[in-house]
Amino acid sequence: MAKDKVSVIIPTLWRSDITIALVELLLKWPLLEELIIIDNAPNSRPSHECWEHCTLLEQKDNIYVNPAWNLGVRKAKGNIIAICNDDICFNPKDLDSIINQLKPNEIYGLHEDCILNSEAIEQPELRKGFILGLGWGCLMLMKKSSYIPIHPSIKVWYGDNWLVHCTRIKKSIRIRVEGTLSVSASDTKFNPIKEEDQIHYTQLIWHPLLRSLRILCRSGIKHPLRWALQMQKS
């Protein structure tokens, strides 16, 4: 396992016309360990030579984005993971200096300026604090060792909320970003799943045992929460 390399994880339904451009940029990134694409719609994948240089995990059926993150992290070889939307584009070299600052028990997500005022960003920057929504979960960085799997009952929404509430330090990345956010998740056919996700997330986040274990988790003791989640699945 490469010490300072990044495993990039991208779930996709191939609904964005910017995905190939993003993949080509990432494949040229010196810090890239591997590019893992969770293909939730293999029959829709456009033909392109770049796929030969990616780890393609084809799914028979759509497993949805949050379980896809879990799958990608399990397969990742790098000690740093970057969870990325398929509908944004950026220069990955803008993350070089930011990745150097990443420590265990930290999570970085996109600052709202990346979405609301990207052209005003002159150089890459890391800021304290975070705002969930407005692009935060479109690109997240953390150590693989800090990742706490998302319960499979949470399929599309609230996965980034879960990761934030299981991690002690949250910071925001300011880089220039292009693209259209949430091309798939904004589809109204996913609204019933959104409602179910909210119910399951609320139950998990307020579960007395899991709440206690999240406090331990944020202090760096990760294994009890992982164990409890595994027991809930079985």
Side-chain angles (χ1 to χ4, degrees):
M1 184 172 63
K3 182 178 179 182
D4 296 314
K5 293 284 189 172
V6 183
S7 293
V8 179
I9 298 162
I10 303 178
T12 185
L13 288 170
W14 307 110
R15 293 185 172 190
S16 172
D17 58 5
I18 207 170
T19 306
I20 290 177
L22 171 64
V23 167
E24 289 181 320
L25 284 170
L26 287 166
L27 289 174
K28 296 175 183 176
W29 189 25
L31 292 184
L32 183 73
E33 171 73 15
E34 61 190 337
L35 178 47
I36 301 173
I37 296 178
I38 295 87
D39 188 347
N40 278 325
N43 293 332
S44 300
R45 184 172 69 241
S47 177
H48 200 279
E49 60 184 11
C50 66
W51 312 133
E52 298 175 10
H53 307 288
C54 302
T55 299
L56 278 169
L57 303 180
E58 294 186 357
Q59 307 302 308
K60 269 188 177 180
D61 301 302
N62 183 6
I63 65 171
Y64 301 105
V65 64
N66 294 331
W69 292 353
N70 288 343
L71 174 60
V73 173
R74 286 200 306 271
K75 299 291 186 181
K77 299 174 183 176
N79 74 318
I80 298 173
I81 56 173
I83 296 173
C84 186
N85 269 27
D86 67 346
D87 54 7
I88 63 172
C89 201
F90 59 94
N91 183 353
K93 291 182 179 179
D94 285 347
L95 298 176
D96 288 0
S97 61
I98 290 169
I99 283 174
N100 289 336
Q101 303 176 58
L102 183 63
K103 298 178 178 63
N105 217 358
E106 293 187 341
I107 184 169
Y108 301 166
L110 283 187
H111 191 279
E112 61 179 354
D113 287 352
C114 302
I115 309 306
L116 299 178
N117 196 18
S118 184
E119 292 182 358
I121 299 174
E122 297 181 357
Q123 60 184 10
E125 181 186 8
L126 188 63
R127 290 190 176 179
K128 292 182 180 179
F130 70 102
I131 299 176
L132 280 169
L134 290 175
W136 168 271
C138 295
L139 176 63
M140 296 181 290
L141 298 174
M142 62 192 310
K143 299 278 189 180
K144 181 179 177 180
S145 60
S146 298
Y147 185 88
I148 298 296
I150 301 161
H151 196 276
S153 63
I154 306 174
K155 293 182 169 62
V156 178
W157 285 267
Y158 301 102
D160 50 352
N161 298 58
W162 174 257
L163 295 176
V164 160
H165 289 299
C166 292
T167 311
R168 182 179 181 184
I169 297 173
K170 283 76 75 167
K171 296 181 181 179
S172 296
I173 303 164
R174 291 182 79 250
I175 58 172
R176 289 197 172 191
V177 173
E178 299 177 358
T180 304
L181 297 181
S182 303
V183 169
S184 296
S186 60
D187 191 328
T188 55
K189 79 175 186 179
F190 293 118
N191 283 350
I193 297 176
K194 181 176 184 178
E195 294 172 4
E196 292 178 7
D197 282 350
Q198 185 174 25
I199 293 170
H200 293 306
Y201 172 74
T202 302
Q203 290 172 343
L204 288 167
I205 211 74
W206 290 105
H207 188 287
L209 174 61
L210 298 184
R211 285 185 68 193
S212 300
L213 294 181
R214 282 203 327 276
I215 295 172
L216 287 176
C217 186
R218 287 196 296 269
S219 70
I221 305 172
K222 306 286 184 180
H223 297 296
L225 182 55
R226 291 192 179 107
W227 176 82
L229 288 167
Q230 187 62 41
M231 292 298 293
Q232 284 221 335
K233 294 177 192 175
S234 57

